[in-house]
Amino acid sequence: MNRIVPGNRPDPRTAPPTPLKPSGTFGGHLLANRYLYLMLVPALLYYGIFHYYPMYGAIIAFKEYSFSKGILGSPWVGLKNFDYLFGLDKFWDVFRNTIVISLYRLAFGFPLPIAVALLLNEVRVRAFKRTVQTVIYLPHFISWVILGGLLINLLSTDGGVVNKIIQAFGGEPVGFLSSEDHFRGTLVWSMIWKEFGWNTIIYMAALAGVNPQLYEAAVMDGANRWRQIRHITLPCIRGTIVVLLLLRIGSMMEAGFEQIFVLYHPAVYSVSDIIDTYVYRIGLTEGRFSLAAAVGLFKSVINFALLVVANKLARMMGEQGVY
């Protein structure tokens, strides 16, 4: 039996802490973190009920769906709906419109929030900074039904405020919402105006996490504001930029159904009709649910493929990606 010598007792203030013993079982881990998992339950229920359970209805795309027979009772037709769909000239028109509108939104709309966030980050008057933030992200919370009516009143050739100003300077009225030459640009810029403020807030949150000591060291080395942005700010928020870019690429086939549905009309179908509006017309108004499901499934597959490819490229460049 070992005897403890009083002079050799370890000092409790300097002794290393006793490591916590892991539970070793999934049940123990679940019990120890039960409150964290409990907070996940509403999100899991939401995605399970509204996102995963409806995926069962995707089999309609491979059936000749009938209301009277139901999903399970409707006969299988295999890839017949897809063969018919890909043979339609109209489908490739709406597919092209979807890609073009999404690319315009990505090219012009994605860099704008980054630039605005960088500019606001340089503002030192806090009251002015908060006022600008509030003003630019408020449109995000306004429905397109309301904004659509506002745009019609502003851009209409018959009494619209913008065209009145153009006429006051001796110009001719411009059909922003009635001309094929201008409608697509109006769609893109109105969408950017509505959403860029919200994305700016995301980048502002990322900028708040940049270590201020990096800027102090850069000032000591003689770096001006442009060099600080180029060599410190942008590299520090590059992860956020990449994640948002991946999510945007993964939703490339989502060109803004609500906005286009509110603003478009038959005169501009050739430049504004997208996959979502086409699905609405043939699925609900014409009752061709199987064909509409085939279109929606095709769109989802394209989005998934784009996300996988973009995520792979991001990981090859050293970024974390979204998974």
Side-chain angles (χ1 to χ4, degrees):
M1 180 175 180
N2 296 329
R3 299 180 60 184
I4 300 176
V5 181
N8 293 334
R9 288 181 178 179
D11 189 350
R13 294 173 298 179
T14 60
T18 304
L20 296 176
K21 294 182 179 180
S23 60
T25 62
F26 176 74
H29 174 78
L30 190 64
L31 183 62
N33 300 278
R34 57 188 179 277
Y35 297 114
L36 295 177
Y37 284 107
L38 187 62
M39 295 173 63
L40 282 176
V41 171
L44 294 176
L45 288 176
Y46 168 77
Y47 280 99
I49 295 173
F50 296 103
H51 289 267
Y52 286 97
Y53 177 72
M55 291 175 66
Y56 157 75
I59 63 175
I60 296 177
F62 305 96
K63 290 192 168 191
E64 190 66 39
Y65 177 71
S66 172
F67 264 122
S68 59
K69 298 179 182 179
I71 296 179
L72 294 179
S74 299
W76 290 92
V77 294
L79 299 177
K80 177 182 177 181
N81 290 317
F82 292 93
D83 291 337
Y84 177 78
L85 178 68
F86 296 149
L88 294 175
D89 293 335
K90 179 61 178 177
F91 171 75
W92 296 111
D93 290 338
V94 299
F95 180 77
R96 183 177 62 253
N97 287 338
T98 304
I99 294 297
V100 170
I101 293 175
S102 294
L103 287 177
Y104 281 165
R105 288 176 54 189
L106 180 64
F108 298 104
F110 187 79
L112 183 60
I114 302 175
V116 175
L118 293 175
L119 291 174
L120 288 177
N121 192 52
E122 300 297 319
V123 175
R124 295 295 175 258
V125 182
R126 184 170 298 181
F128 176 76
K129 184 176 181 179
R130 290 179 176 177
T131 301
V132 173
Q133 288 178 350
T134 302
V135 170
I136 63 177
Y137 80 68
L138 276 179
H140 171 79
F141 300 97
I142 303 177
S143 169
W144 269 115
V145 176
I146 299 174
L147 289 180
L150 177 63
L151 288 175
I152 291 173
N153 289 329
L154 288 175
L155 304 177
S156 173
T157 56
D158 185 16
V161 176
V162 174
N163 275 309
K164 283 186 176 181
I165 296 175
I166 294 175
Q167 289 178 307
F169 284 93
E172 295 293 330
V174 178
F176 294 102
L177 298 176
S178 58
S179 170
E180 294 183 354
D181 296 331
H182 299 92
F183 188 82
R184 187 178 286 168
T186 304
L187 283 178
V188 173
W189 286 111
S190 58
M191 173 62 77
I192 293 174
W193 166 71
K194 184 179 185 297
E195 298 296 339
F196 88 94
W198 177 257
N199 294 325
T200 299
I201 300 300
I202 299 176
Y203 290 115
M204 290 294 296
L207 289 171
V210 179
N211 190 349
Q213 294 181 354
L214 297 175
Y215 294 109
E216 296 174 1
V219 172
M220 295 295 294
D221 290 338
N224 56 25
R225 301 302 300 176
W226 168 246
R227 290 185 177 273
Q228 292 176 38
I229 292 174
R230 180 181 176 185
H231 297 288
I232 298 177
T233 306
L234 289 177
C236 287
I237 65 172
R238 184 175 59 182
T240 302
I241 295 174
V242 170
V243 170
L244 292 180
L245 179 60
L246 291 178
L247 295 176
R248 184 66 192 90
I249 293 176
S251 60
M252 185 67 69
M253 304 302 291
E254 309 289 340
F257 167 77
E258 186 179 0
Q259 176 199 17
I260 296 176
F261 184 74
V262 169
L263 295 176
Y264 84 151
H265 47 84
V268 292
Y269 275 177
S270 61
V271 295
S272 63
D273 199 15
I274 61 174
I275 290 179
D276 289 334
T277 55
Y278 183 62
V279 169
Y280 168 80
R281 286 205 311 277
I282 67 174
L284 295 182
T285 62
E286 299 181 14
R288 304 167 71 179
F289 298 102
S290 295
L291 190 60
V295 177
L297 185 59
F298 170 77
K299 184 185 71 172
S300 299
V301 170
I302 295 296
N303 278 336
F304 178 74
L306 289 173
L307 179 61
V308 170
V309 172
N311 188 77
K312 180 65 175 178
L313 293 175
R315 294 180 70 89
M316 291 173 60
M317 291 186 293
E319 297 297 330
Q320 185 175 2
V322 293
Y323 64 87

mmCIF file with all atom_site columns, all heavy atoms in Angstrom, residues 7 21 33 37 69 91 153 166 171 193 230 233 252 254-255 266 279 321:
data_model
loop_
_atom_site.group_PDB
_atom_site.id
_atom_site.type_symbol
_atom_site.label_atom_id
_atom_site.label_alt_id
_atom_site.label_comp_id
_atom_site.label_asym_id
_atom_site.label_entity_id
_atom_site.label_seq_id
_atom_site.pdbx_PDB_ins_code
_atom_site.Cartn_x
_atom_site.Cartn_y
_atom_site.Cartn_z
_atom_site.occupancy
_atom_site.B_iso_or_equiv
_atom_site.pdbx_formal_charge
_atom_site.auth_seq_id
_atom_site.auth_comp_id
_atom_site.auth_asym_id
_atom_site.auth_atom_id
_atom_site.pdbx_PDB_model_num
ATOM 1   N N   . GLY A 1 7   ? 4.307   16.290 2.063   1.00 0.00 ? 7   GLY A N   1
ATOM 2   C CA  . GLY A 1 7   ? 5.009   17.307 1.267   1.00 0.00 ? 7   GLY A CA  1
ATOM 3   C C   . GLY A 1 7   ? 4.941   17.087 -0.216  1.00 0.00 ? 7   GLY A C   1
ATOM 4   O O   . GLY A 1 7   ? 5.290   17.976 -0.993  1.00 0.00 ? 7   GLY A O   1
ATOM 5   N N   . LYS A 1 21  ? -15.724 11.733 -19.191 1.00 0.00 ? 21  LYS A N   1
ATOM 6   C CA  . LYS A 1 21  ? -15.859 10.436 -19.819 1.00 0.00 ? 21  LYS A CA  1
ATOM 7   C C   . LYS A 1 21  ? -16.981 10.475 -20.856 1.00 0.00 ? 21  LYS A C   1
ATOM 8   O O   . LYS A 1 21  ? -18.099 10.896 -20.535 1.00 0.00 ? 21  LYS A O   1
ATOM 9   C CB  . LYS A 1 21  ? -16.175 9.374  -18.765 1.00 0.00 ? 21  LYS A CB  1
ATOM 10  C CG  . LYS A 1 21  ? -15.033 9.153  -17.785 1.00 0.00 ? 21  LYS A CG  1
ATOM 11  C CD  . LYS A 1 21  ? -15.395 8.042  -16.801 1.00 0.00 ? 21  LYS A CD  1
ATOM 12  C CE  . LYS A 1 21  ? -14.231 7.797  -15.834 1.00 0.00 ? 21  LYS A CE  1
ATOM 13  N NZ  . LYS A 1 21  ? -14.562 6.713  -14.875 1.00 0.00 ? 21  LYS A NZ  1
ATOM 14  N N   . ASN A 1 33  ? -27.381 15.995 -25.234 1.00 0.00 ? 33  ASN A N   1
ATOM 15  C CA  . ASN A 1 33  ? -27.647 17.149 -26.110 1.00 0.00 ? 33  ASN A CA  1
ATOM 16  C C   . ASN A 1 33  ? -29.121 17.242 -26.471 1.00 0.00 ? 33  ASN A C   1
ATOM 17  O O   . ASN A 1 33  ? -29.473 17.700 -27.561 1.00 0.00 ? 33  ASN A O   1
ATOM 18  C CB  . ASN A 1 33  ? -26.804 17.028 -27.393 1.00 0.00 ? 33  ASN A CB  1
ATOM 19  C CG  . ASN A 1 33  ? -25.324 17.003 -27.114 1.00 0.00 ? 33  ASN A CG  1
ATOM 20  O OD1 . ASN A 1 33  ? -24.686 18.031 -26.926 1.00 0.00 ? 33  ASN A OD1 1
ATOM 21  N ND2 . ASN A 1 33  ? -24.755 15.806 -27.083 1.00 0.00 ? 33  ASN A ND2 1
ATOM 22  N N   . TYR A 1 37  ? -31.116 18.992 -29.867 1.00 0.00 ? 37  TYR A N   1
ATOM 23  C CA  . TYR A 1 37  ? -31.895 18.211 -30.826 1.00 0.00 ? 37  TYR A CA  1
ATOM 24  C C   . TYR A 1 37  ? -33.366 18.600 -30.801 1.00 0.00 ? 37  TYR A C   1
ATOM 25  O O   . TYR A 1 37  ? -34.052 18.538 -31.831 1.00 0.00 ? 37  TYR A O   1
ATOM 26  C CB  . TYR A 1 37  ? -31.737 16.713 -30.535 1.00 0.00 ? 37  TYR A CB  1
ATOM 27  C CG  . TYR A 1 37  ? -30.416 16.152 -30.972 1.00 0.00 ? 37  TYR A CG  1
ATOM 28  C CD1 . TYR A 1 37  ? -29.442 15.806 -30.044 1.00 0.00 ? 37  TYR A CD1 1
ATOM 29  C CD2 . TYR A 1 37  ? -30.124 15.977 -32.318 1.00 0.00 ? 37  TYR A CD2 1
ATOM 30  C CE1 . TYR A 1 37  ? -28.213 15.298 -30.445 1.00 0.00 ? 37  TYR A CE1 1
ATOM 31  C CE2 . TYR A 1 37  ? -28.908 15.474 -32.732 1.00 0.00 ? 37  TYR A CE2 1
ATOM 32  C CZ  . TYR A 1 37  ? -27.956 15.139 -31.794 1.00 0.00 ? 37  TYR A CZ  1
ATOM 33  O OH  . TYR A 1 37  ? -26.750 14.637 -32.205 1.00 0.00 ? 37  TYR A OH  1
ATOM 34  N N   . LYS A 1 69  ? -58.623 7.734  -60.664 1.00 0.00 ? 69  LYS A N   1
ATOM 35  C CA  . LYS A 1 69  ? -57.827 6.559  -60.313 1.00 0.00 ? 69  LYS A CA  1
ATOM 36  C C   . LYS A 1 69  ? -56.780 6.844  -59.236 1.00 0.00 ? 69  LYS A C   1
ATOM 37  O O   . LYS A 1 69  ? -56.292 5.917  -58.588 1.00 0.00 ? 69  LYS A O   1
ATOM 38  C CB  . LYS A 1 69  ? -57.127 6.023  -61.564 1.00 0.00 ? 69  LYS A CB  1
ATOM 39  C CG  . LYS A 1 69  ? -58.090 5.551  -62.645 1.00 0.00 ? 69  LYS A CG  1
ATOM 40  C CD  . LYS A 1 69  ? -57.336 5.060  -63.870 1.00 0.00 ? 69  LYS A CD  1
ATOM 41  C CE  . LYS A 1 69  ? -58.295 4.622  -64.967 1.00 0.00 ? 69  LYS A CE  1
ATOM 42  N NZ  . LYS A 1 69  ? -57.573 4.166  -66.182 1.00 0.00 ? 69  LYS A NZ  1
ATOM 43  N N   . PHE A 1 91  ? -41.280 24.013 -75.284 1.00 0.00 ? 91  PHE A N   1
ATOM 44  C CA  . PHE A 1 91  ? -40.525 23.700 -74.072 1.00 0.00 ? 91  PHE A CA  1
ATOM 45  C C   . PHE A 1 91  ? -39.108 24.247 -74.150 1.00 0.00 ? 91  PHE A C   1
ATOM 46  O O   . PHE A 1 91  ? -38.596 24.809 -73.176 1.00 0.00 ? 91  PHE A O   1
ATOM 47  C CB  . PHE A 1 91  ? -40.482 22.192 -73.848 1.00 0.00 ? 91  PHE A CB  1
ATOM 48  C CG  . PHE A 1 91  ? -39.556 21.782 -72.739 1.00 0.00 ? 91  PHE A CG  1
ATOM 49  C CD1 . PHE A 1 91  ? -39.918 21.970 -71.421 1.00 0.00 ? 91  PHE A CD1 1
ATOM 50  C CD2 . PHE A 1 91  ? -38.304 21.249 -73.023 1.00 0.00 ? 91  PHE A CD2 1
ATOM 51  C CE1 . PHE A 1 91  ? -39.049 21.627 -70.393 1.00 0.00 ? 91  PHE A CE1 1
ATOM 52  C CE2 . PHE A 1 91  ? -37.442 20.892 -71.999 1.00 0.00 ? 91  PHE A CE2 1
ATOM 53  C CZ  . PHE A 1 91  ? -37.820 21.072 -70.682 1.00 0.00 ? 91  PHE A CZ  1
ATOM 54  N N   . ASN A 1 153 ? -47.677 51.100 -62.263 1.00 0.00 ? 153 ASN A N   1
ATOM 55  C CA  . ASN A 1 153 ? -47.978 52.524 -62.144 1.00 0.00 ? 153 ASN A CA  1
ATOM 56  C C   . ASN A 1 153 ? -46.779 53.398 -62.496 1.00 0.00 ? 153 ASN A C   1
ATOM 57  O O   . ASN A 1 153 ? -46.947 54.506 -63.017 1.00 0.00 ? 153 ASN A O   1
ATOM 58  C CB  . ASN A 1 153 ? -48.435 52.851 -60.719 1.00 0.00 ? 153 ASN A CB  1
ATOM 59  C CG  . ASN A 1 153 ? -49.808 52.291 -60.417 1.00 0.00 ? 153 ASN A CG  1
ATOM 60  O OD1 . ASN A 1 153 ? -50.650 52.177 -61.304 1.00 0.00 ? 153 ASN A OD1 1
ATOM 61  N ND2 . ASN A 1 153 ? -50.038 51.903 -59.171 1.00 0.00 ? 153 ASN A ND2 1
ATOM 62  N N   . ILE A 1 166 ? -39.701 60.963 -69.012 1.00 0.00 ? 166 ILE A N   1
ATOM 63  C CA  . ILE A 1 166 ? -39.029 60.836 -70.312 1.00 0.00 ? 166 ILE A CA  1
ATOM 64  C C   . ILE A 1 166 ? -39.639 61.786 -71.329 1.00 0.00 ? 166 ILE A C   1
ATOM 65  O O   . ILE A 1 166 ? -38.921 62.461 -72.097 1.00 0.00 ? 166 ILE A O   1
ATOM 66  C CB  . ILE A 1 166 ? -39.118 59.379 -70.806 1.00 0.00 ? 166 ILE A CB  1
ATOM 67  C CG1 . ILE A 1 166 ? -38.308 58.456 -69.889 1.00 0.00 ? 166 ILE A CG1 1
ATOM 68  C CG2 . ILE A 1 166 ? -38.615 59.257 -72.245 1.00 0.00 ? 166 ILE A CG2 1
ATOM 69  C CD1 . ILE A 1 166 ? -38.432 56.991 -70.237 1.00 0.00 ? 166 ILE A CD1 1
ATOM 70  N N   . GLY A 1 171 ? -38.409 62.886 -74.942 1.00 0.00 ? 171 GLY A N   1
ATOM 71  C CA  . GLY A 1 171 ? -38.270 61.527 -75.423 1.00 0.00 ? 171 GLY A CA  1
ATOM 72  C C   . GLY A 1 171 ? -39.604 60.874 -75.714 1.00 0.00 ? 171 GLY A C   1
ATOM 73  O O   . GLY A 1 171 ? -40.674 61.428 -75.437 1.00 0.00 ? 171 GLY A O   1
ATOM 74  N N   . TRP A 1 193 ? -33.311 44.880 -57.578 1.00 0.00 ? 193 TRP A N   1
ATOM 75  C CA  . TRP A 1 193 ? -33.678 45.955 -56.654 1.00 0.00 ? 193 TRP A CA  1
ATOM 76  C C   . TRP A 1 193 ? -34.392 45.403 -55.423 1.00 0.00 ? 193 TRP A C   1
ATOM 77  O O   . TRP A 1 193 ? -34.168 45.878 -54.295 1.00 0.00 ? 193 TRP A O   1
ATOM 78  C CB  . TRP A 1 193 ? -34.571 46.958 -57.379 1.00 0.00 ? 193 TRP A CB  1
ATOM 79  C CG  . TRP A 1 193 ? -35.271 47.903 -56.447 1.00 0.00 ? 193 TRP A CG  1
ATOM 80  C CD1 . TRP A 1 193 ? -34.708 48.918 -55.727 1.00 0.00 ? 193 TRP A CD1 1
ATOM 81  C CD2 . TRP A 1 193 ? -36.663 47.908 -56.130 1.00 0.00 ? 193 TRP A CD2 1
ATOM 82  N NE1 . TRP A 1 193 ? -35.671 49.561 -54.976 1.00 0.00 ? 193 TRP A NE1 1
ATOM 83  C CE2 . TRP A 1 193 ? -36.878 48.958 -55.210 1.00 0.00 ? 193 TRP A CE2 1
ATOM 84  C CE3 . TRP A 1 193 ? -37.748 47.130 -56.541 1.00 0.00 ? 193 TRP A CE3 1
ATOM 85  C CZ2 . TRP A 1 193 ? -38.136 49.239 -54.690 1.00 0.00 ? 193 TRP A CZ2 1
ATOM 86  C CZ3 . TRP A 1 193 ? -38.995 47.410 -56.021 1.00 0.00 ? 193 TRP A CZ3 1
ATOM 87  C CH2 . TRP A 1 193 ? -39.191 48.456 -55.114 1.00 0.00 ? 193 TRP A CH2 1
ATOM 88  N N   . ARG A 1 230 ? -8.775  44.489 -50.853 1.00 0.00 ? 230 ARG A N   1
ATOM 89  C CA  . ARG A 1 230 ? -8.340  43.437 -51.772 1.00 0.00 ? 230 ARG A CA  1
ATOM 90  C C   . ARG A 1 230 ? -7.649  42.284 -51.055 1.00 0.00 ? 230 ARG A C   1
ATOM 91  O O   . ARG A 1 230 ? -7.868  41.108 -51.386 1.00 0.00 ? 230 ARG A O   1
ATOM 92  C CB  . ARG A 1 230 ? -7.417  44.044 -52.821 1.00 0.00 ? 230 ARG A CB  1
ATOM 93  C CG  . ARG A 1 230 ? -6.889  43.049 -53.837 1.00 0.00 ? 230 ARG A CG  1
ATOM 94  C CD  . ARG A 1 230 ? -5.954  43.748 -54.821 1.00 0.00 ? 230 ARG A CD  1
ATOM 95  N NE  . ARG A 1 230 ? -5.356  42.796 -55.752 1.00 0.00 ? 230 ARG A NE  1
ATOM 96  C CZ  . ARG A 1 230 ? -4.434  43.115 -56.653 1.00 0.00 ? 230 ARG A CZ  1
ATOM 97  N NH1 . ARG A 1 230 ? -4.012  44.382 -56.747 1.00 0.00 ? 230 ARG A NH1 1
ATOM 98  N NH2 . ARG A 1 230 ? -3.944  42.199 -57.463 1.00 0.00 ? 230 ARG A NH2 1
ATOM 99  N N   . THR A 1 233 ? -10.223 42.096 -46.644 1.00 0.00 ? 233 THR A N   1
ATOM 100 C CA  . THR A 1 233 ? -11.676 41.968 -46.557 1.00 0.00 ? 233 THR A CA  1
ATOM 101 C C   . THR A 1 233 ? -12.205 40.851 -47.458 1.00 0.00 ? 233 THR A C   1
ATOM 102 O O   . THR A 1 233 ? -12.921 39.956 -46.991 1.00 0.00 ? 233 THR A O   1
ATOM 103 C CB  . THR A 1 233 ? -12.347 43.303 -46.932 1.00 0.00 ? 233 THR A CB  1
ATOM 104 O OG1 . THR A 1 233 ? -11.803 44.357 -46.126 1.00 0.00 ? 233 THR A OG1 1
ATOM 105 C CG2 . THR A 1 233 ? -13.844 43.214 -46.709 1.00 0.00 ? 233 THR A CG2 1
ATOM 106 N N   . MET A 1 252 ? -30.495 27.725 -60.360 1.00 0.00 ? 252 MET A N   1
ATOM 107 C CA  . MET A 1 252 ? -30.432 28.399 -61.648 1.00 0.00 ? 252 MET A CA  1
ATOM 108 C C   . MET A 1 252 ? -31.741 28.288 -62.424 1.00 0.00 ? 252 MET A C   1
ATOM 109 O O   . MET A 1 252 ? -32.111 29.184 -63.184 1.00 0.00 ? 252 MET A O   1
ATOM 110 C CB  . MET A 1 252 ? -29.283 27.820 -62.476 1.00 0.00 ? 252 MET A CB  1
ATOM 111 C CG  . MET A 1 252 ? -29.045 28.520 -63.810 1.00 0.00 ? 252 MET A CG  1
ATOM 112 S SD  . MET A 1 252 ? -28.452 30.207 -63.627 1.00 0.00 ? 252 MET A SD  1
ATOM 113 C CE  . MET A 1 252 ? -26.823 29.910 -62.964 1.00 0.00 ? 252 MET A CE  1
ATOM 114 N N   . GLU A 1 254 ? -34.641 28.371 -61.201 1.00 0.00 ? 254 GLU A N   1
ATOM 115 C CA  . GLU A 1 254 ? -35.680 29.166 -60.551 1.00 0.00 ? 254 GLU A CA  1
ATOM 116 C C   . GLU A 1 254 ? -35.502 30.614 -60.987 1.00 0.00 ? 254 GLU A C   1
ATOM 117 O O   . GLU A 1 254 ? -34.676 31.329 -60.441 1.00 0.00 ? 254 GLU A O   1
ATOM 118 C CB  . GLU A 1 254 ? -35.580 29.038 -59.031 1.00 0.00 ? 254 GLU A CB  1
ATOM 119 C CG  . GLU A 1 254 ? -35.527 27.622 -58.510 1.00 0.00 ? 254 GLU A CG  1
ATOM 120 C CD  . GLU A 1 254 ? -36.850 26.901 -58.650 1.00 0.00 ? 254 GLU A CD  1
ATOM 121 O OE1 . GLU A 1 254 ? -37.892 27.571 -58.795 1.00 0.00 ? 254 GLU A OE1 1
ATOM 122 O OE2 . GLU A 1 254 ? -36.848 25.654 -58.622 1.00 0.00 ? 254 GLU A OE2 1
ATOM 123 N N   . ALA A 1 255 ? -36.284 31.045 -61.947 1.00 0.00 ? 255 ALA A N   1
ATOM 124 C CA  . ALA A 1 255 ? -36.096 32.389 -62.502 1.00 0.00 ? 255 ALA A CA  1
ATOM 125 C C   . ALA A 1 255 ? -37.078 33.405 -61.937 1.00 0.00 ? 255 ALA A C   1
ATOM 126 O O   . ALA A 1 255 ? -37.131 34.532 -62.415 1.00 0.00 ? 255 ALA A O   1
ATOM 127 C CB  . ALA A 1 255 ? -36.219 32.352 -64.028 1.00 0.00 ? 255 ALA A CB  1
ATOM 128 N N   . PRO A 1 266 ? -49.490 37.788 -72.610 1.00 0.00 ? 266 PRO A N   1
ATOM 129 C CA  . PRO A 1 266 ? -49.196 37.066 -73.867 1.00 0.00 ? 266 PRO A CA  1
ATOM 130 C C   . PRO A 1 266 ? -48.298 37.808 -74.847 1.00 0.00 ? 266 PRO A C   1
ATOM 131 O O   . PRO A 1 266 ? -47.574 37.176 -75.614 1.00 0.00 ? 266 PRO A O   1
ATOM 132 C CB  . PRO A 1 266 ? -50.588 36.829 -74.455 1.00 0.00 ? 266 PRO A CB  1
ATOM 133 C CG  . PRO A 1 266 ? -51.494 36.780 -73.271 1.00 0.00 ? 266 PRO A CG  1
ATOM 134 C CD  . PRO A 1 266 ? -50.932 37.770 -72.290 1.00 0.00 ? 266 PRO A CD  1
ATOM 135 N N   . VAL A 1 279 ? -45.269 25.359 -66.560 1.00 0.00 ? 279 VAL A N   1
ATOM 136 C CA  . VAL A 1 279 ? -45.852 24.282 -65.764 1.00 0.00 ? 279 VAL A CA  1
ATOM 137 C C   . VAL A 1 279 ? -47.204 24.697 -65.214 1.00 0.00 ? 279 VAL A C   1
ATOM 138 O O   . VAL A 1 279 ? -48.155 23.909 -65.190 1.00 0.00 ? 279 VAL A O   1
ATOM 139 C CB  . VAL A 1 279 ? -44.895 23.890 -64.617 1.00 0.00 ? 279 VAL A CB  1
ATOM 140 C CG1 . VAL A 1 279 ? -45.581 22.975 -63.616 1.00 0.00 ? 279 VAL A CG1 1
ATOM 141 C CG2 . VAL A 1 279 ? -43.656 23.208 -65.174 1.00 0.00 ? 279 VAL A CG2 1
ATOM 142 N N   . GLY A 1 321 ? -17.345 24.443 -49.608 1.00 0.00 ? 321 GLY A N   1
ATOM 143 C CA  . GLY A 1 321 ? -18.548 24.025 -50.305 1.00 0.00 ? 321 GLY A CA  1
ATOM 144 C C   . GLY A 1 321 ? -19.743 23.956 -49.374 1.00 0.00 ? 321 GLY A C   1
ATOM 145 O O   . GLY A 1 321 ? -19.685 24.374 -48.212 1.00 0.00 ? 321 GLY A O   1
#
